[in-house]
Amino acid sequence: MNRTLKSTISMVAIAAMSIGALAACGSSTSGDDAKGKVYYLNFKPESADQWTALAKEYTKETGIEVKVQTAASNTYEQTLKSEIAKTEAPTLFQVNGPVGYQNWKRYTADLSGTDVYKELTNQDVALKDGDKVVGVPYVMETYGIIYNKDILNKYFALDGAKAKSVDEIDNFDTLKAVADDMQARKDELGIKGAFTSAGFDSSSDWRFKTHLANLPLYYEFQKDKVTEQPATIKGTYLPNYKKIFDLYITDSTTDRTQLSAKTGDDANSEFALGEAAFYQNGTWAWTDLAKAGMKAESVGMMPIYIGVKGEEKQGLVTGSENYWCINDKASDADKKATEDFLKWVITSDTGKKALSEDMGFTTPFKTFDDVKSDNPLTEAAVEDQKSGKTQVSWNFTMMPSEEWKNKLGQALLEYAQGTGDWNAVKTAFVDGWASEYSATH
């Protein structure tokens, strides 16, 4: 996902391929059959050069041929559809999550016996179909409520503070009590509000119509054991969505009637300048916060609490839109060569440097435990993964369309500024899901 939140890959159904094309996929009959070879169709254009260099280094070390092709931006599905039908098909490709997987499930090998799966710090983040491991994420991103440690410590020292440490804020009721009290004592604390402004232009609204909306979806899908994109949703946890959104727009630096004029830059600036204690965003936000003058030791990140029973054991929202899949229709030799290449990428010094430094990825593998990051939000995410808490998964990859998000965002803004009511948010959330799912299927 890029830092302005890529929209999820569209759910256009793939046209049926001829039996002849399917039979031709993958295997090679050239002289290096026994050794196998690797063909990686890369999704990220921004890391194309790094992958090409990495492939050359692996070939130099092992003699195994590794070909890397990078799809142009926003053309990955189309390119994969074309390449997978060729005799020399990719042995390694990507899906964006459960929705993208449905398009390619006939091509995904079981990765449960591979080193790349075994080395995951938390195997729950793998993409699974029943007991089959069909995708392994290689870059993870995490979001929650970023907080200013200095402001919170100042608040905790006040007489009558509703909490005395950040560890006590592990549920919605405590978060609300603290935020309400901070808002009431903002002059005493030298802040403009507990939370940064919830702006609703395109640089900011994705934080609420996509990332925050993930929370009620996560709990509903958990409760109903939903593992694939559903045609309809119930909106069971919409009252909880309303509670956290109300907190954001009430205990804020900005009057709710002014939110339509606020941007992502405004929220970043408010937080960096110490005008607010809380800021919903993710690991990718650190670059901008650091540029604005924040010190790493002043920043932490806590889960987004929405008032669901047992949320004290809930962690940050962690997920990926980048899952490696091995082509099950490739030859056994090519599949083995691809497994070995991935093992080398995540265990060798060359591969680890390429992923963590050259490409700048936050990786989910145990082999990177000795790789230190200068991003305090990444460090918070790593600590959260080791805490024993249950990370909230990314379910927004199942959202039916960009139009669904846009209509939800518009309904949220109208509710916030008082020109609409919460029923319109419910309608956009539940009825909008059914109509958009129908339109995209």
Side-chain angles (χ1 to χ4, degrees):
M1 189 185 79
N2 66 26
R3 288 174 181 162
T4 56
L5 185 67
K6 266 181 212 141
S7 46
T8 51
I9 297 171
S10 67
M11 273 294 295
V12 179
I14 293 172
M17 297 178 182
S18 69
I19 293 173
L22 288 175
C25 286
S27 60
S28 163
T29 55
S30 62
D32 277 341
D33 235 9
K35 288 164 60 176
K37 57 187 181 301
V38 181
Y39 170 15
Y40 178 33
L41 185 62
N42 173 40
F43 171 74
K44 287 180 170 287
E46 63 270 26
S47 60
D49 292 344
Q50 292 92 331
W51 275 113
T52 300
L54 201 55
K56 286 180 180 176
E57 183 60 32
Y58 185 72
T59 300
K60 182 180 170 184
E61 285 189 24
T62 65
I64 301 297
E65 178 189 342
V66 179
K67 172 186 174 184
V68 175
Q69 179 176 331
T70 300
S73 185
N74 297 319
T75 68
Y76 192 80
E77 289 281 282
Q78 175 187 339
T79 305
L80 179 56
K81 181 180 174 184
S82 171
E83 291 298 302
I84 208 88
K86 296 179 179 178
T87 302
E88 299 290 340
T91 64
L92 180 65
F93 63 94
Q94 291 181 224
V95 298
N96 77 317
V99 172
Y101 165 66
Q102 294 306 313
N103 293 339
W104 301 103
K105 60 192 303 181
R106 76 184 81 173
Y107 294 97
T108 54
D110 187 354
L111 305 180
S112 57
T114 63
D115 288 288
V116 76
Y117 171 66
K118 292 174 183 175
E119 290 292 351
L120 283 171
T121 302
N122 175 9
Q123 293 183 337
D124 290 342
V125 301
L127 188 61
K128 297 177 182 177
D129 188 345
D131 293 331
K132 183 180 176 185
V133 178
V134 296
V136 171
Y138 65 90
V139 53
M140 301 295 291
E141 290 175 307
T142 296
Y143 66 91
I145 297 175
I146 304 171
Y147 59 88
N148 184 312
K149 292 180 179 180
D150 303 328
I151 297 173
L152 280 186
N153 287 335
K154 186 175 180 180
Y155 170 74
F156 296 145
L158 296 178
D159 289 341
K162 304 299 182 183
K164 289 299 181 183
S165 79
V166 73
D167 294 335
E168 294 179 27
I169 307 175
D170 62 358
N171 59 80
F172 176 79
D173 288 343
T174 305
L175 174 63
K176 184 178 188 307
V178 168
D180 286 352
D181 198 32
M182 292 181 84
Q183 190 74 15
R185 304 166 80 171
K186 62 185 180 181
D187 293 340
E188 199 175 347
L189 291 166
I191 61 176
K192 292 185 176 179
F195 286 89
T196 58
S197 55
F200 269 86
D201 82 326
S202 61
S203 70
S204 181
D205 67 345
W206 50 268
R207 294 189 293 133
F208 314 109
K209 70 184 184 183
T210 304
H211 280 188
L212 189 60
N214 185 81
L215 274 295
L217 289 176
Y218 166 76
Y219 284 112
E220 179 173 329
F221 291 171
Q222 261 208 329
K223 184 180 184 214
D224 296 342
K225 297 181 170 55
V226 173
T227 57
E228 297 182 358
Q229 185 188 40
T232 60
I233 58 174
K234 299 173 184 173
T236 309
Y237 294 91
L238 279 176
N240 304 84
Y241 187 37
K242 181 178 184 296
K243 286 203 296 188
I244 186 66
F245 187 64
D246 281 347
L247 191 63
Y248 285 178
I249 61 177
T250 302
D251 294 346
S252 172
T253 58
T254 305
D255 187 272
R256 57 197 296 169
T257 61
Q258 305 300 312
L259 292 178
S260 62
K262 289 294 180 176
T263 67
D265 285 342
D266 289 327
N268 184 81
S269 177
E270 291 161 13
F271 188 74
L273 292 173
E275 295 175 356
F278 300 116
Y279 174 33
Q280 186 204 297
N281 216 324
T283 46
W284 55 88
W286 175 242
T287 302
D288 290 334
L289 290 173
K291 283 179 185 174
M294 285 216 81
K295 303 298 183 189
E297 59 268 22
S298 297
V299 180
M301 185 159 54
M302 69 174 70
I304 301 171
Y305 298 113
I306 65 172
V308 175
K309 185 179 179 183
E311 65 182 355
E312 293 83 359
K313 297 178 181 177
Q314 171 204 311
L316 298 166
V317 189
T318 295
S320 180
E321 288 184 308
N322 298 279
Y323 292 86
W324 279 327
C325 302
I326 292 179
N327 186 355
D328 200 33
K329 298 185 184 298
S331 69
D332 288 344
D334 287 356
K335 282 191 277 191
K336 177 66 167 57
T338 303
E339 289 178 20
D340 291 344
F341 172 64
L342 290 181
K343 178 182 179 181
W344 178 84
V345 167
I346 68 162
T347 59
S348 70
D349 288 343
T350 304
K352 286 160 65 176
K353 178 182 179 297
L355 288 186
S356 62
E357 294 182 29
D358 302 341
M359 302 184 204
F361 295 158
T362 300
T363 52
F365 305 106
K366 291 180 281 189
T367 51
F368 285 76
D369 284 352
D370 60 341
V371 177
K372 291 300 176 187
S373 170
D374 59 1
N375 181 340
L377 301 177
T378 297
E379 292 298 300
V382 170
E383 287 304 309
D384 187 68
Q385 289 171 30
K386 295 177 179 177
S387 69
K389 291 183 177 180
T390 301
Q391 276 74 51
V392 172
S393 58
W394 281 17
N395 298 276
F396 58 78
T397 55
M398 294 199 209
M399 289 174 179
S401 68
E402 197 64 22
E403 183 66 11
W404 181 84
K405 298 180 202 175
N406 290 338
K407 287 182 177 176
L408 177 61
Q410 187 59 39
L412 284 169
L413 174 59
E414 289 173 1
Y415 166 73
Q417 61 190 15
T419 55
D421 61 19
W422 189 254
N423 284 328
V425 176
K426 286 187 194 174
T427 299
F429 200 94
V430 178
D431 298 347
W433 186 290
S435 61
E436 285 301 308
Y437 181 93
S438 178
T440 54
H441 288 71

